[in-house]
């Protein structure tokens, strides 16, 4: 498997797929959603079930006319009904990916997490994993969690790391290098996540995550910049070469996410993990490209 180092590589991988993924989209109604659907169709890797609330806007109905074999339109009375229908399509095996349109994320998640009819795998942790292409860094970086879990417990950290490793392998990294992020390299009871990090490293050493290198605590600069590690005297195969960043809480992960996109010109691709199919719930403020790359990441095999 060739390594996906940027989002152009991701699209090249998708172009080699022999089958199209079927995407259930809840409440498509804005220009960003139209861009994602049109580009997914033109790139040829996705078919769409557009589950609309109340009515299907003309610009989306025209896609049905333009791509009659690849677009299906369904009308539900309300946004919540549309969410339940889109989730049902995924649960029944009629969709490979679930994606949010203009519906509020909480409303979609209510349907996703329904104990009887939802998509959360039994006993699983719901988490959000993001891949980003930072122009100044030579490869994609996977990080978590920036959107779902406020203060991860040890078992939640275990799931988050496992999901991030899985996504990293999905883009072709044979032995992912994961950095456990903190503001300092010290382990302290004042910061319980650093104690959890020690357990995660032990689990990694015991083969719990397969072929992977896990180290930390370390700060983001040390994880991504070899010179910083040299100056600090830190010797680790993860330093300056991280494929994965695991953040201690949602605030730090989210600030990293928003800072990258605003000041570094980074594009992102994110999805929910722990569900039976990938679920794309892009932020309203994300660019059209990031929303499209999120769908592309969810569709890649």
């Amino acid at each position: 498997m060739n390594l996906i180092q940027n989002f152009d590589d991701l699209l090249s991988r998708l172009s080699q797929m022999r089958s199209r993924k079927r995407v259930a989209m809840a409440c498509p109604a804005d220009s960003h959603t139209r861009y994602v659907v049109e580009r997914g169709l033109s790139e040829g890797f996705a078919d769409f079930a557009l589950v609309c609330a109340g009515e299907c806007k003309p610009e989306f109905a025209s896609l049905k006319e333009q791509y009659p074999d690849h677009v299906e339109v369904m009308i539900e009375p309300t946004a919540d009904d549309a969410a339940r229908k889109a989730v049902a399509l995924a649960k029944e095996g009629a969709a490979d990916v679930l994606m949010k349109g203009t519906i509020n994320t909480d409303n979609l998640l209510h349907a996703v997490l329904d104990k009887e009819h939802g998509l959360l795998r039994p006993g699983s942790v719901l988490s959000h994993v993001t891949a980003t292409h930072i122009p100044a860094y030579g490869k994609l970086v996977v990080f978590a969690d920036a959107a779902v879990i406020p203060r991860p417990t040890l078992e939640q950290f275990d799931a988050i790391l496992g999901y991030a490793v899985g996504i990293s392998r999905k883009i072709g990294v044979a032995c992912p290098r994961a950095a456990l992020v903190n503001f300092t390299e010290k382990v302290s009871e004042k910061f319980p996540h650093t104690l959890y990090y020690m357990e995660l490293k032990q689990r990694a050493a015991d083969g719990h995550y397969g072929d992977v290198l896990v180290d930390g605590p370390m700060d983001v600069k040390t994880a991504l910049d070899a010179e910083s590690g040299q100056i600090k005297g830190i010797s680790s195969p993860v330093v300056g070469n991280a494929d994965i960043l695991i953040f201690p809480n949602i605030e730090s992960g989210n600030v990293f996410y928003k800072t990258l996109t605003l000041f570094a010109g980074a594009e992102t691709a994110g999805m929910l993990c722990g569900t039976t199919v990938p679920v794309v719930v892009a932020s309203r403020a994300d660019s059209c490209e990031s929303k499209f790359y999120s769908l592309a990441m969810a569709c890649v095999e």
Side-chain angles (χ1 to χ4, degrees), residues 189-229:
E189 292 183 356
K190 293 181 180 180
F191 304 100
H193 59 268
T194 62
L195 303 180
Y196 298 156
Y197 287 173
M198 302 308 290
E199 176 60 26
L200 295 177
K201 289 198 294 182
Q202 184 59 55
R203 293 183 184 187
D206 292 340
H208 182 68
Y209 311 105
D211 193 10
V212 64
L213 296 169
V214 179
D215 208 352
M218 67 178 69
D219 61 47
V220 169
K221 189 174 181 181
T222 300
L224 303 181
D225 177 53
E227 184 179 5
S228 295

Side-chain angles (χ1 to χ4, degrees), residues 23-37:
V23 181
M25 181 171 285
C27 301
D30 66 340
S31 60
H32 279 201
T33 305
R34 180 178 169 85
Y35 173 87
V36 171
V37 175

Side-chain angles (χ1 to χ4, degrees), residues 23 25 30-43 45-46 48 60 63 99-100 280 282 287-296:
V23 181
M25 181 171 285
D30 66 340
S31 60
H32 279 201
T33 305
R34 180 178 169 85
Y35 173 87
V36 171
V37 175
E38 282 191 314
R39 193 168 174 191
L41 291 167
S42 65
E43 295 280 356
F45 65 81
F48 290 88
F60 289 94
L63 292 176
M99 186 168 184
K100 166 190 164 184
V280 178
S287 69
C288 290
E289 288 77 13
S290 285
K291 292 176 182 179
F292 171 71
Y293 292 142
S294 293
L295 175 62

Side-chain angles (χ1 to χ4, degrees), residues 102-241:
T102 56
I103 188 172
N104 184 282
T105 299
D106 289 344
N107 293 71
L108 182 60
L109 288 182
H110 184 73
V112 169
L113 296 175
D114 183 279
K115 291 183 178 180
E116 183 177 357
H117 303 291
L119 300 176
L120 187 66
R121 292 196 303 265
S124 292
V125 172
L126 186 72
S127 181
H128 190 272
V129 178
T130 307
T132 183
H133 179 241
I134 307 167
Y137 199 58
K139 57 183 176 180
L140 289 176
V141 178
V142 175
F143 65 93
D145 181 319
V148 175
I149 303 176
R151 298 283 187 281
T153 63
L154 173 59
E155 295 313 312
Q156 287 172 330
F157 269 123
D158 179 79
I160 292 168
L161 178 56
Y163 296 149
V165 168
I167 296 296
S168 192
R169 290 206 178 98
K170 189 176 184 180
I171 62 176
V173 181
C175 180
R177 302 168 189 242
L180 306 174
V181 175
N182 189 45
F183 71 100
T184 177
E185 293 77 38
K186 295 179 180 179
V187 175
S188 171
E189 292 183 356
K190 293 181 180 180
F191 304 100
H193 59 268
T194 62
L195 303 180
Y196 298 156
Y197 287 173
M198 302 308 290
E199 176 60 26
L200 295 177
K201 289 198 294 182
Q202 184 59 55
R203 293 183 184 187
D206 292 340
H208 182 68
Y209 311 105
D211 193 10
V212 64
L213 296 169
V214 179
D215 208 352
M218 67 178 69
D219 61 47
V220 169
K221 189 174 181 181
T222 300
L224 303 181
D225 177 53
E227 184 179 5
S228 295
Q230 292 171 359
I231 292 171
K232 291 184 175 184
I234 302 173
S235 177
S236 168
V238 175
V239 168
N241 198 25

